[in-house]
Amino acid sequence: MFYHDQLLESTPLPHLTELPPLGMDAASLARDFRHYYTYNLGRDRHCRSVHYAYEALSLALRDRLMERWKNTRYAYDERDCRRGYYLSLEFLMGRSLGNAILNLETHEAVRQGLYSLGLRLEELAEAEHDAGLGNGGLGRLAACFLDSCATLALPVQGYGLRYEYGMFRQKIVDGQQVEEPDHWLRAGNPWEIERPEYTQRVPFEGRSEFYRDHAGETRVRWVDSRDVLAVPYDLPIPGFGNGTVNTLRLWKAAATDEFNLGEFNAGLYPESVAAKNQAEHISMILYPNDASENGKELRLRQQYFLASASLQDVLARWGGTQGEDFSTFADKNVFQLNDTHPSCCVPELMRLLIDQHGLGWDEAWGITTRTMAYTNHTLLPEALEKWPVRLFQRLLPRPLEIVYEINARFLAEVARHWPGDTERQRRMSIIEEGPEPMVRMAFLALVGSFSVNGVAALHSRLLTEGLFRDFYELWPAKFNNKTNGVTPRRWLAWCNPALARLITDTVGQGWVADLPQLAGLAPRADDPEFRQRWRGVKQANKERLAALVRQECEVEFNPQALFDVQVKRIHEYKRQLLNILHVIHLYDRLKRGDLQGWTDRCVLIGGKAAPGYFMAKTIIKLINNVAHVVNADPEVGSRLRVAFLPDYRVSAMEIIAPGTDLSEQISTAGKEASGTGNMKFMMNGAVTIGTLDGANIEIREEVGAANFFLFGMTAEEVEQARPSYDPAALIAGNEELRQVMRLLESGHFNQFEPGIFDPLIASLHSPHDPWLTLADFASYVEAQRQAAQAYGDQEHWTRMSILNSAASGRFSTDRTMQEYNQEIWHLQAVPAEPVR
Ligand code: JN2
């Protein structure tokens, strides 16, 4: 290792150090493509699978990333810069090929190079399997953040897990969700580089004991542990057109060699191999629960595995240059925790600094609380992570001791601040007392971090007023807001090339890395000729979406109709049920012959339900049954179409967002922390129908009330209405709602499946319905009527569409990352050396 370093430094090895940069022209790309296809993959013109062509192109592009990647690492090392780490159990990356092409700005050359070989880029790109290493919002946000950090040349590395199985694939059978495993690595992954030389060792179980070190000091060590190896796989994260390539490091769990001892002991051989399997289970599967924890032991193992491997990796790099001097560690490193899932980092950094590196408590605590920052992504109580102390004790005995010590010192501070207020100490304790004592992970993250943020203005305010109120009173300066965003590279430039071209023709090309420049579109909203071009692009994108719906759902969408879309995880608080009630209302109108001011409409709903979430699965079944009845009714014709799109995922959204007219963001106010799909739709010229929830509020502020269909109660009104919520009175007082409930309850949508929707019907009737679904029905229907009317005037609608895109500049993750950097991370941008 060192020998080679010196060799590279001292001896001239021109063949290693001065490789000429790889050509970015069509001919060079085509040559390298052929090289990989023929010599590396061993395929020829008779090969029937397009997958190998995808792979050959990916390898050719990966080579181009590789030299920029190395330059970026060198640049960070030479500057000895302060670095950021984004720790997340989820990175919902989607496909990488298109992203690499776009960010290397080599789209045209690739297209031409492939054309010269008789190949089409679109077809190759379709062969890539999504990297679905996340559930929804929180995972996709992490992926958008990495894109923006690389584009801003910020020295930020992602740390996550390399799940063998990503988010399940959703099939719809008889209207019901069926989950299939997503073995996404089966065909190999050309984008990852295994780096076994940076393997780390993560302890579990065992116990801690005191001992005396060489200097006679009493120290603690974790003994009799069962260790698991963490093997890193690196993914390149290219910035847009700037030569930067950052890293996403994903850990795979592997058994230590000790497991092989079993081979020498034939009697225990099967047990030994079983133990090896168990170690490797840690990174086997992504938990498919969006926003609710299920308390499984394996999940806690995953969380600690990520925390420990990542921190050890950072400390090993630190030791390589600074030895055992940690005096400037906190000046040079910052860790952003993506929700509480990686919050084992707090006790783990303490453990590593104290037990492994000999620091005292106060110095270690100073470092920890100057390097950790925590982002909260939900207010839903069921998503607040708690782990039984007993489980924590068995799996992580030494970290638990440290949690106890952190808590004891913290509660002493609470007692100093509020003398005699034992109730407050009980409320704020990291350990929840009771028959089964629990570790409250959010409080652990709060106490261990110097920054705590929510993900939209409303959400951040609600955190300080509710869930984290005591902590806000104690440490107001810790709390801040960072409104989410999405990357405009994937979510506009790549997924909507026709609109991107029109925008570039209109405002120049700077918008791709400076989204507020889209404001330059606004003056053109009143230009009839521009509107016509804008409408033409939307129309073509709707045809593309209609083709997807035809292929996946066997439902015919007419691109002249209003495309009304709700895609996101299925959850009661997101109120897909309210959407389908409106669909039933429209159906009822058609059956009654009420065609006054009618606008033809195609309703698309998509999303996955957590496999154990019965109500969410029943909602999927209802959507499919309603779709079946409506689409088959000759009286409805093409006036109303309904489809449920199976297997909603990143690559599907790349077709859906550009083809949408109306974006459904209809959660119960106060429940959706931010939402990010809302931003993707807006950028692509959809108009939002939504509640005053999450980032919808800020979207409406940016675009103006006239270009947003608002309905429903505010978060404050929701909390006020709760005690007196009376669904029976709402039904009795609203003829349209009465008709909808009558249709639903008559079994019209479940003729041969009696009773299957009773749980949904009961939840709508319940005065304790936490989502107050019926309270917003009337105003939702009214807002939908206004949207339909607005769509009827195509000039007016197109104007709104343009203004939505034009006002979306704030919702780029470039802005979000700049705010994190200016207010939390304080990193210096390190522009990469251009590849000559
Ligand atoms: C989340 C929040 C979210 C979770 C997910 C167990 C739990 C989990 C926990 C994931 C698991 C896997 C807490 O709902 C919000 C959106 O409003 C917001 O836009 C995004 C990004 O900030 O975060 C979502 N929350 F096994 O996904």
Side-chain angles (χ1 to χ4, degrees):
M1 188 66 206
F2 294 116
Y3 172 75
H4 280 95
D5 276 357
Q6 277 166 7
L7 203 65
L8 282 174
E9 292 304 316
S10 58
T11 17
L13 290 170
H15 60 291
L16 276 182
T17 55
E18 280 166 38
L19 282 172
L22 299 169
M24 300 301 289
D25 54 294
S28 306
L29 287 162
R31 186 171 358 87
D32 286 4
F33 173 92
R34 291 187 59 176
H35 174 86
Y36 281 113
Y37 194 75
T38 310
Y39 301 115
N40 187 296
L41 303 174
R43 296 305 192 286
D44 58 33
R45 73 176 103 91
H46 299 300
C47 177
R48 288 157 176 279
S49 168
V50 68
H51 191 269
Y52 298 99
Y54 148 73
E55 214 177 322
L57 178 61
S58 298
L59 292 170
L61 285 160
R62 194 182 79 174
D63 288 351
R64 272 81 187 161
L65 292 177
M66 212 55 95
E67 46 193 4
R68 290 163 176 78
W69 206 355
K70 185 197 70 186
N71 289 346
T72 303
R73 277 196 304 268
Y74 283 8
Y76 294 166
D77 286 345
E78 276 160 27
R79 290 269 198 107
D80 187 25
C81 57
R82 175 171 163 85
R83 294 173 194 230
Y85 305 94
Y86 199 77
L87 284 101
S88 178
L89 269 284
E90 304 192 8
F91 287 91
L92 192 38
M93 303 301 286
R95 292 174 175 156
S96 292
L97 175 60
N99 191 244
I101 291 171
L102 183 88
N103 283 7
L104 287 169
E105 293 180 292
T106 185
H107 198 161
E108 198 43 38
V110 169
R111 210 187 51 74
Q112 278 177 26
L114 289 176
Y115 185 79
S116 72
L117 301 169
L119 295 165
R120 269 184 54 242
L121 173 58
E122 293 71 32
E123 201 186 331
L124 269 59
E126 275 297 307
E128 181 172 2
H129 200 312
D130 279 36
L133 308 185
N135 274 282
L138 165 149
R140 180 56 226 177
L141 185 74
C144 286
F145 278 9
L146 293 184
D147 182 80
S148 283
C149 287
T151 297
L152 296 168
L154 292 175
V156 171
Q157 188 179 318
Y159 275 115
L161 295 185
R162 180 180 175 276
Y163 301 110
E164 208 78 36
Y165 294 87
M167 190 59 200
F168 65 80
R169 286 201 278 200
Q170 181 194 52
K171 293 268 158 68
I172 299 297
V173 179
D174 296 332
Q176 263 157 343
Q177 168 172 301
V178 173
E179 301 96 24
E180 283 184 3
D182 167 48
H183 199 189
W184 71 293
L185 291 166
R186 187 161 34 210
N189 176 8
W191 301 102
E192 66 181 13
I193 305 284
E194 185 184 359
R195 298 209 186 279
E197 68 273 32
Y198 298 114
T199 296
Q200 305 294 336
R201 199 181 172 99
V202 178
F204 288 96
E205 304 173 36
R207 61 197 167 82
S208 74
E209 68 174 21
F210 290 104
Y211 72 103
R212 254 179 224 294
D213 68 8
H214 316 297
E217 298 273 347
T218 303
R219 308 256 307 259
V220 181
R221 64 185 164 206
W222 187 344
V223 296
D224 299 338
S225 58
R226 297 227 242 166
D227 297 353
V228 179
L229 298 180
V231 184
Y233 287 71
D234 288 355
L235 268 53
I237 307 293
F240 176 72
N242 66 352
T244 291
V245 177
N246 280 343
T247 301
L248 170 58
R249 176 159 286 185
L250 300 178
W251 300 104
K252 175 193 163 103
T256 59
D257 286 338
E258 279 109 82
F259 287 105
N260 297 333
L261 285 176
E263 287 176 42
F264 300 104
N265 185 344
L268 284 176
Y269 178 68
E271 288 78 2
S272 169
V273 174
K276 177 180 159 77
N277 274 328
Q278 227 194 16
E280 294 178 349
H281 280 162
I282 290 179
S283 58
M284 199 59 73
I285 182 155
L286 167 77
Y287 273 92
N289 311 322
D290 183 62
S292 90
E293 283 296 334
N294 59 4
K296 288 280 164 35
E297 172 180 331
L298 183 59
R299 171 82 173 168
L300 182 56
R301 283 188 191 266
Q302 289 182 336
Q303 295 185 352
Y304 179 69
F305 181 73
L306 170 66
S308 183
S310 307
L311 290 173
Q312 289 188 58
D313 195 44
V314 172
L315 289 175
R317 209 157 41 229
W318 182 262
T321 60
Q322 308 296 124
E324 292 295 295
D325 177 4
F326 289 91
S327 57
T328 59
F329 185 83
D331 303 324
K332 293 289 190 182
N333 298 284
V334 59
F335 302 95
Q336 191 72 41
L337 309 180
N338 199 18
D339 216 279
T340 53
H341 315 149
S343 58
C344 281
C345 278
V346 171
E348 180 63 3
L349 184 56
M350 291 297 286
R351 183 185 75 85
L352 294 169
L353 291 174
I354 294 170
D355 295 358
Q356 312 267 11
H357 297 283
L359 270 61
W361 181 276
D362 291 334
E363 196 187 349
W365 187 243
I367 289 172
T368 302
T369 53
R370 285 173 63 211
T371 52
M372 297 287 162
Y374 157 55
T375 306
N376 173 285
H377 294 267
T378 184
L379 288 158
L380 299 186
E382 63 267 34
L384 293 177
E385 268 195 289
K386 289 177 192 173
W387 291 104
V389 168
R390 276 194 312 161
L391 174 64
F392 221 103
Q393 168 74 54
R394 180 162 58 79
L395 242 48
L396 310 168
R398 178 57 183 148
L400 181 64
E401 281 178 1
I402 293 170
V403 170
Y404 279 143
E405 182 64 23
I406 291 170
N407 196 38
R409 291 169 184 246
F410 165 62
L411 290 180
E413 186 177 340
V414 172
R416 277 196 301 278
H417 201 268
W418 289 287
D421 192 346
T422 51
E423 167 59 21
R424 202 182 293 248
Q425 288 180 48
R426 192 193 56 74
R427 279 206 312 262
M428 296 179 80
S429 175
I430 296 171
I431 306 295
E432 178 184 281
E433 295 301 341
E436 173 84 86
M438 300 285 236
V439 183
R440 296 162 164 163
M441 300 303 268
F443 292 3
L444 178 60
L446 272 163
V447 172
S449 299
F450 66 90
S451 164
V452 180
N453 75 280
V455 291
L458 172 71
H459 169 63
S460 296
R461 178 167 66 78
L462 293 176
L463 281 177
T464 62
E465 292 172 359
L467 204 55
F468 296 160
R469 186 183 177 139
D470 290 322
F471 291 86
Y472 179 62
E473 286 177 19
L474 185 59
W475 298 312
K478 271 195 194 187
F479 289 79
N480 63 95
N481 172 247
K482 296 288 168 284
T483 298
N484 282 167
V486 303
T487 172
R489 268 73 64 185
R490 181 177 298 258
W491 297 116
L492 186 50
W494 174 255
C495 75
N496 199 342
L499 197 64
R501 220 168 297 124
L502 177 55
I503 292 171
T504 296
D505 286 350
T506 311
V507 304
Q509 56 183 16
W511 62 272
V512 182
D514 182 18
L515 203 64
Q517 288 187 26
L518 290 187
L521 295 170
R524 306 295 298 278
D526 293 311
D527 170 355
E529 193 255 348
F530 183 75
R531 279 186 196 159
Q532 199 184 341
R533 289 169 70 192
W534 189 272
R535 203 154 46 232
V537 170
K538 182 58 86 177
Q539 207 57 28
N541 287 330
K542 287 171 74 172
E543 269 156 35
R544 191 164 61 134
L545 176 52
L548 178 76
V549 171
R550 186 181 308 124
Q551 190 187 312
E552 300 294 320
C553 320
E554 289 163 24
V555 175
E556 201 59 45
F557 273 15
N558 170 12
Q560 303 303 317
L562 170 67
F563 278 20
D564 168 349
V565 180
Q566 185 177 24
V567 285
K568 52 184 75 224
R569 288 300 289 257
I570 311 292
H571 201 294
E572 289 162 283
Y573 84 79
K574 295 176 188 281
R575 297 199 295 193
Q576 283 91 357
L577 196 47
L578 181 59
N579 187 344
I580 208 71
L581 292 182
H582 172 249
V583 170
I584 295 172
H585 164 65
L586 291 179
Y587 172 71
D588 178 50
R589 275 185 61 187
L590 289 173
K591 296 303 275 183
R592 286 190 277 112
D594 172 10
L595 283 167
Q596 221 200 1
W598 188 267
T599 296
D600 289 357
R601 192 189 285 249
C602 298
V603 179
L604 185 65
I605 304 177
K608 293 174 183 175
Y613 189 173
F614 171 76
M615 289 296 262
K617 289 184 147 180
T618 309
I619 291 169
I620 291 177
K621 174 66 173 159
L622 176 62
I623 295 165
N624 279 296
N625 280 22
V626 169
H628 191 80
V629 169
V630 169
N631 299 336
D633 191 325
E635 280 182 337
V636 171
S638 60
R639 295 188 199 281
L640 179 62
R641 282 288 151 89
V642 188
F644 184 88
L645 183 80
D647 204 32
Y648 173 59
R649 61 197 185 281
V650 170
S651 60
M653 186 56 161
E654 291 171 15
I655 296 167
I656 296 166
T660 294
D661 295 310
L662 186 64
S663 154
E664 299 270 352
Q665 308 299 335
I666 62 178
S667 52
T668 309
K671 298 301 168 191
E672 188 70 272
S674 162
T676 47
N678 46 6
M679 301 166 185
K680 294 163 200 166
F681 283 119
M682 180 195 200
M683 247 172 229
N684 286 278
V687 185
T688 304
I689 182 166
T691 48
L692 285 176
D693 199 14
N696 295 352
I697 296 173
E698 290 156 79
I699 285 176
R700 181 163 170 271
E701 270 165 24
E702 292 292 313
V703 75
N707 302 301
F708 185 107
F709 297 101
L710 178 69
F711 75 96
M713 294 184 290
T714 63
E716 280 73 23
E717 286 165 352
V718 166
E719 290 318 313
Q720 278 191 348
R722 221 177 263 292
S724 56
Y725 178 56
D726 186 356
L730 289 165
I731 295 167
N734 183 328
E735 174 59 25
E736 291 174 338
L737 178 54
R738 210 157 60 229
Q739 287 297 331
V740 168
M741 294 305 292
R742 191 188 54 75
L743 268 172
L744 189 54
E745 287 166 14
S746 71
H748 191 76
F749 303 108
N750 51 320
Q751 294 221 4
F752 304 101
E753 302 164 299
I756 57 166
F757 298 130
D758 289 358
L760 295 181
I761 294 165
S763 79
L764 291 170
H765 281 290
S766 168
H768 308 293
D769 171 12
W771 324 114
L772 285 74
T773 308
L774 298 188
D776 285 343
F777 178 84
S779 71
Y780 180 52
V781 169
E782 172 56 22
Q784 287 284 19
R785 202 189 52 74
Q786 285 169 15
Q789 193 187 352
Y791 189 79
D793 178 351
Q794 280 288 294
E795 289 300 321
H796 173 56
W797 186 272
T798 307
R799 183 170 181 280
M800 295 207 316
S801 169
I802 297 166
L803 291 177
N804 265 274
S805 248
S808 68
R810 190 173 135 67
F811 303 106
S812 164
T813 35
D814 296 347
R815 187 268 313 152
T816 313
M817 290 296 86
Q818 267 158 342
E819 289 182 5
Y820 273 83
N821 193 41
Q822 279 159 19
E823 294 161 32
I824 304 175
W825 301 340
H826 307 296
L827 307 171
Q828 220 89 62
V830 181
E833 284 287 318
V835 169
R836 300 126 317 191

